[in-house]
Amino acid sequence: MVLVSKLSPTSRSLRGRIGAYAAFAKHGRDKMTAAARAANPSADSYWLDKVDPERALPENERLVRAGDAKRSYFAGLALKSAQARKRAT
């Protein structure tokens, strides 16, 4: 067995990629990444769960509120990005 500390960063990266591809082949990429995709702010399900976790609202209202929450979040990121660019100049 090769000690990890003796490997170059390139070798460690390649070994990690090989392991990930092997795991994807064995278990399926969708199954392995489902939790991360669901927790991603780009996913509609993320916002549906944020605005109405108990599923008490009518479906169309949940969709409208989730869309508004998502737009608000990404507009806030755009503002922060613009402020950071302004400070950098």
Side-chain angles (χ1 to χ4, degrees):
M1 183 171 135
V2 177
L3 292 175
V4 174
S5 61
K6 303 268 185 188
L7 295 175
S8 70
T10 304
S11 294
R12 283 196 306 272
S13 176
L14 184 56
R15 284 177 176 233
R17 194 173 319 133
I18 291 168
Y21 290 145
F24 288 158
K26 184 175 182 179
H27 303 290
R29 182 181 301 257
D30 288 344
K31 182 178 178 184
M32 290 185 67
T33 60
R37 283 183 281 114
N40 185 336
S42 294
D44 291 335
S45 60
Y46 174 89
W47 296 105
L48 289 168
D49 289 341
K50 286 279 189 189
V51 299
D52 187 27
E54 292 86 26
R55 309 283 193 270
L57 296 171
E59 188 64 21
N60 58 344
E61 181 64 19
R62 288 180 71 229
L63 291 171
V64 169
R65 289 186 188 193
D68 290 341
K70 185 176 180 179
R71 280 188 289 281
S72 172
Y73 174 79
F74 283 106
L77 287 182
L79 175 62
K80 289 178 184 179
S81 176
Q83 290 169 338
R85 286 192 308 274
K86 186 176 181 181
R87 282 192 304 272
T89 58

